[in-house]
Amino acid sequence: MLVRPKPGILDPQGQAVESSLRELGFAVGDARVGRVVDLELEASDAAAARAEVERMCEQLLTNPLIESYEIELPG
Amino acid sequence: MLVRPKPGILDPQGQAVESSLRELGFAVGDARVGRVVDLELEASDAAAARAEVERMCEQLLTNPLIESYEIELPG
């Protein structure tokens, strides 16, 4: 799953990436840094897998006040 | 772009996620944690954008000894 800072939330890591890239001569606009978490789990079907990962996100993997998440399942 | 620890490289963040999820009662296998970096940049076409982001990855955004990266461009 992908976890990103919500729009409007301060992202110091993204700001550091932005300014470092500009110092190196790259012309970049906004940069935002989040996390990618790859997990192995067994589930009966895609819907069950998604529901399980949603519970993990809400209980541990994200801070819903400042982060949003996106779940990608293998095709 | 997505930056992930290479296979075989120790990933303490992933291990922490794994053991915390198990303590919460989730049945998970391997967990790996990496970064997602979202960037805005102007480029004449997709190939030029990809080449520019590759340079950024090599110069700043990844450690090629221990990390691999994957570039996704907006469709």
Side-chain angles (χ1 to χ4, degrees):
Chain A
M1 96 222 39
L2 299 171
V3 184
R4 294 181 166 101
K6 285 187 179 174
I9 295 290
L10 196 68
D11 172 20
Q13 261 194 292
Q15 290 174 338
V17 163
E18 237 176 88
S19 61
S20 299
L21 285 172
R22 286 185 195 141
E23 274 165 38
L24 288 171
F26 292 106
V28 291
D30 202 33
R32 307 280 285 171
V33 176
R35 302 188 298 287
V36 52
V37 183
D38 296 318
L39 279 176
E40 286 172 358
L41 79 162
E42 294 201 3
S44 48
D45 57 33
R50 184 174 294 275
E52 185 83 342
V53 176
E54 271 171 17
R55 277 197 299 278
M56 294 178 198
C57 285
E58 278 149 30
Q59 287 184 43
L60 180 77
L61 299 173
T62 72
N63 178 343
L65 288 176
I66 59 170
E67 294 171 328
S68 61
Y69 63 86
E70 190 181 323
I71 298 172
E72 288 177 3
L73 300 174
Chain B
M1 96 225 37
L2 299 171
V3 184
R4 294 181 167 99
K6 284 187 177 172
I9 295 289
L10 196 68
D11 173 20
Q13 260 195 293
Q15 290 175 340
V17 162
E18 237 175 271
S19 61
S20 299
L21 284 172
R22 286 184 194 140
E23 275 166 37
L24 288 171
F26 292 106
V28 290
D30 202 30
R32 307 281 284 172
V33 176
R35 301 188 298 286
V36 52
V37 182
D38 296 318
L39 278 177
E40 287 171 359
L41 79 163
E42 293 200 6
S44 48
D45 57 33
R50 185 174 295 274
E52 184 83 343
V53 176
E54 271 170 16
R55 279 197 299 276
M56 294 179 199
C57 285
E58 278 148 30
Q59 287 184 42
L60 179 78
L61 299 173
T62 73
N63 178 341
L65 289 174
I66 58 169
E67 293 172 327
S68 61
Y69 63 85
E70 189 182 323
I71 297 173
E72 289 176 2
L73 300 173

Short mmCIF file of all heavy atoms in Angstrom, two decimals, chain A residues 39-45 48-49 52 56, chain B residues 27-29:
data_model
loop_
_atom_site.label_atom_id
_atom_site.label_comp_id
_atom_site.label_asym_id
_atom_site.label_seq_id
_atom_site.Cartn_x
_atom_site.Cartn_y
_atom_site.Cartn_z
N LEU A 39 3.24 -6.08 1.58
CA LEU A 39 2.86 -7.10 2.56
C LEU A 39 2.47 -8.39 1.88
O LEU A 39 1.81 -8.36 0.84
CB LEU A 39 1.61 -6.63 3.31
CG LEU A 39 1.73 -5.66 4.46
CD1 LEU A 39 0.32 -5.31 4.92
CD2 LEU A 39 2.53 -6.25 5.60
N GLU A 40 2.81 -9.51 2.49
CA GLU A 40 2.29 -10.80 2.05
C GLU A 40 1.18 -11.22 2.99
O GLU A 40 1.39 -11.22 4.22
CB GLU A 40 3.38 -11.86 2.11
CG GLU A 40 4.42 -11.73 1.02
CD GLU A 40 5.59 -12.69 1.22
OE1 GLU A 40 5.60 -13.43 2.22
OE2 GLU A 40 6.49 -12.67 0.37
N LEU A 41 0.03 -11.57 2.44
CA LEU A 41 -1.00 -12.14 3.30
C LEU A 41 -1.88 -13.09 2.51
O LEU A 41 -1.93 -13.01 1.28
CB LEU A 41 -1.82 -11.06 3.99
CG LEU A 41 -2.93 -10.34 3.25
CD1 LEU A 41 -3.86 -9.65 4.25
CD2 LEU A 41 -2.36 -9.29 2.33
N GLU A 42 -2.51 -14.00 3.22
CA GLU A 42 -3.41 -14.93 2.56
C GLU A 42 -4.83 -14.46 2.77
O GLU A 42 -5.21 -14.06 3.87
CB GLU A 42 -3.25 -16.34 3.16
CG GLU A 42 -1.87 -16.90 2.85
CD GLU A 42 -1.81 -18.41 2.95
OE1 GLU A 42 -2.86 -19.06 3.20
OE2 GLU A 42 -0.70 -18.95 2.80
N ALA A 43 -5.60 -14.51 1.71
CA ALA A 43 -7.00 -14.11 1.83
C ALA A 43 -7.79 -14.91 0.81
O ALA A 43 -7.26 -15.35 -0.21
CB ALA A 43 -7.16 -12.62 1.57
N SER A 44 -9.09 -15.09 1.10
CA SER A 44 -9.90 -15.93 0.21
C SER A 44 -10.13 -15.26 -1.14
O SER A 44 -10.24 -15.92 -2.16
CB SER A 44 -11.24 -16.25 0.90
OG SER A 44 -11.80 -15.07 1.43
N ASP A 45 -10.23 -13.94 -1.16
CA ASP A 45 -10.38 -13.24 -2.44
C ASP A 45 -9.90 -11.80 -2.30
O ASP A 45 -9.49 -11.37 -1.22
CB ASP A 45 -11.84 -13.30 -2.93
CG ASP A 45 -12.81 -12.72 -1.90
OD1 ASP A 45 -12.44 -11.79 -1.17
OD2 ASP A 45 -13.93 -13.23 -1.82
N ALA A 48 -11.62 -9.58 0.38
CA ALA A 48 -11.21 -9.90 1.75
C ALA A 48 -9.81 -9.35 2.02
O ALA A 48 -9.54 -8.81 3.10
CB ALA A 48 -11.23 -11.41 1.97
N ALA A 49 -8.92 -9.46 1.04
CA ALA A 49 -7.56 -8.95 1.20
C ALA A 49 -7.61 -7.43 1.42
O ALA A 49 -6.96 -6.88 2.31
CB ALA A 49 -6.73 -9.28 -0.03
N GLU A 52 -8.86 -6.52 4.88
CA GLU A 52 -7.84 -6.82 5.90
C GLU A 52 -6.77 -5.71 5.90
O GLU A 52 -6.38 -5.21 6.96
CB GLU A 52 -7.20 -8.18 5.57
CG GLU A 52 -6.21 -8.70 6.58
CD GLU A 52 -6.84 -9.40 7.77
OE1 GLU A 52 -8.06 -9.20 8.00
OE2 GLU A 52 -6.12 -10.14 8.46
N MET A 56 -5.51 -2.97 8.81
CA MET A 56 -4.11 -2.75 9.20
C MET A 56 -3.75 -1.26 9.11
O MET A 56 -3.07 -0.71 9.97
CB MET A 56 -3.16 -3.53 8.29
CG MET A 56 -3.28 -5.03 8.43
SD MET A 56 -2.14 -5.82 7.26
CE MET A 56 -2.84 -7.46 7.21
N ALA B 27 -2.46 -12.04 10.46
CA ALA B 27 -1.60 -13.11 9.95
C ALA B 27 -0.91 -12.62 8.69
O ALA B 27 -1.48 -12.69 7.59
CB ALA B 27 -2.43 -14.35 9.67
N VAL B 28 0.28 -12.08 8.83
CA VAL B 28 1.01 -11.58 7.66
C VAL B 28 2.32 -12.32 7.48
O VAL B 28 2.90 -12.83 8.44
CB VAL B 28 1.33 -10.07 7.78
CG1 VAL B 28 0.07 -9.23 7.67
CG2 VAL B 28 2.08 -9.74 9.06
N GLY B 29 2.76 -12.39 6.24
CA GLY B 29 4.09 -12.92 5.93
C GLY B 29 5.08 -11.78 5.94
O GLY B 29 5.01 -10.89 6.79
#
